[in-house]
Amino acid sequence: MDKDTVVGPVIQDEIERSKVGIMRALCEREDSSTKEVDDPMIRRFLRARDLDIEKASTMFLKYMSWKRTFLRHGYIPESEIANELSHNKAFMQGHDKKGRPIVVSFGNRHKPSKGNPEEFKRFVVYSLEKICARMPRDEEKFVTIGDLQGWGYSNCDIRGYLAALSILQDCYPERLGKLYVVHAPYIFMAVWKVVYPFIDSNTRKKIVFVEKKNLTATLLEDIDESQLPDIYGGKLPVVPIQDS
């Protein structure tokens, strides 16, 4: 292996370690910047494609090409998402019992009629980059509480939801640990039926709809009270993602 290749934490599973090595060699031939990527990232793409090296390599190389175009500065400048940030729709604070960062997203603060689809995509990437940068060295996943309190048709943005889903699944695979959907109104389920077929099987397993009566108890199963946002019965104030 090239001395400049980034390896990162050692992968313990022998089969995964072997496949990561093969995939790295294949991808480095196509894109030399693969050397800058650590082994856990390559493993995430492999896991997203059930350890199929060919499919994972295709997915990974597509991501590397996307990254050069979309993250041309290496990050998303806040000046390019000022409108999205002004709505304070995403927050990040604390971690669950596994050490995964906690993100809270408020669906009723998303106003597609007042926004721009491209800016929203940049906001999604900005948020995911922020989340990933905050993860402890040995942690790869985050958890999200998707709060739909007060969500209505004015907040509905199927195109935006599908764009965000595509970015999460195609460019940040195996990053989502769990998504708790809370306070979901009945009318949201019509939108959910449209979006659901686009969610891959690995992601579907991580999504949990929580009943209001069980909200705090369910969250406390995975999140200590000291780390749970105060709006859900915990003790931690929520912090806008741009300030976290």
Side-chain angles (χ1 to χ4, degrees):
M1 187 177 290
D2 191 292
K3 66 179 181 179
D4 296 323
T5 298
V6 176
V7 177
V10 176
I11 293 175
Q12 300 298 329
D13 184 277
E14 195 172 324
I15 294 174
E16 285 190 338
R17 187 166 65 246
S18 173
K19 291 198 172 192
V20 164
I22 295 169
M23 179 172 157
R24 178 182 287 282
L26 289 171
C27 291
E28 283 185 8
R29 271 188 242 154
E30 299 291 328
D31 188 335
S32 61
S33 61
T34 299
K35 294 176 182 178
E36 301 168 10
V37 171
D38 65 15
D39 284 352
M41 174 176 270
I42 292 178
R43 179 177 61 182
R44 287 194 295 274
F45 279 83
L46 269 169
R47 287 178 172 176
R49 289 296 177 264
D50 299 319
L51 301 186
D52 183 308
I53 293 174
E54 185 176 349
K55 290 180 180 178
S57 296
T58 299
M59 181 187 187
F60 175 77
L61 290 169
K62 185 178 178 182
Y63 157 76
M64 293 294 279
S65 177
W66 167 86
K67 184 179 179 182
R68 275 190 291 273
T69 304
F70 209 91
L71 285 165
R72 58 188 184 279
H73 304 292
Y75 63 96
I76 301 290
E78 292 186 355
S79 60
E80 294 185 4
I81 53 170
N83 180 58
E84 290 290 332
L85 291 176
S86 71
H87 295 149
N88 279 341
K89 63 179 77 173
F91 297 75
M92 179 168 62
Q93 65 293 300
H95 54 267
D96 72 355
K97 293 176 182 177
K98 294 183 179 180
R100 301 176 295 189
I102 300 168
V103 180
V104 181
S105 178
F106 294 99
N108 71 335
R109 298 185 185 181
H110 180 58
K111 311 284 186 182
S113 65
K114 298 180 180 179
N116 174 291
E118 291 306 310
E119 184 182 351
F120 178 63
K121 289 180 189 176
R122 290 195 295 272
F123 172 72
V124 171
V125 173
Y126 166 89
S127 299
L128 287 167
E129 287 289 313
K130 268 264 194 178
I131 295 163
C132 293
R134 186 176 165 186
M135 288 182 187
R137 176 175 167 78
D138 295 327
E139 185 52 62
E140 299 182 66
K141 299 179 185 290
F142 67 94
V143 297
T144 296
I145 300 172
D147 194 327
L148 298 176
Q149 181 86 48
W151 184 94
Y153 286 124
S154 65
N155 308 117
C156 181
D157 184 12
I158 292 176
R159 183 180 297 178
Y161 299 155
L162 293 178
L165 181 66
S166 175
I167 291 169
L168 176 67
Q169 293 184 158
D170 298 339
C171 303
Y172 298 85
E174 295 298 304
R175 282 300 200 181
L176 178 66
K178 201 164 190 176
L179 167 60
Y180 303 92
V181 182
V182 306
H183 298 137
Y186 181 75
I187 56 173
F188 176 76
M189 300 317 294
V191 175
W192 181 248
K193 288 180 181 178
V194 176
V195 174
Y196 188 77
F198 295 91
I199 306 174
D200 67 39
S201 58
N202 287 337
T203 304
R204 288 177 184 177
K205 298 171 188 174
K206 302 168 184 174
I207 302 173
V208 179
F209 279 79
V210 184
E211 292 184 27
K212 186 175 181 179
K213 64 180 180 180
N214 300 324
L215 178 54
T216 300
T218 299
L219 294 176
L220 283 173
E221 289 176 7
D222 295 327
I223 304 170
D224 190 81
E225 185 182 18
S226 67
Q227 299 297 310
L228 184 67
D230 52 11
I231 55 175
Y232 304 118
K235 296 183 177 180
L236 211 60
V238 292
V239 180
I241 196 162
Q242 63 268 31
D243 299 329
S244 62

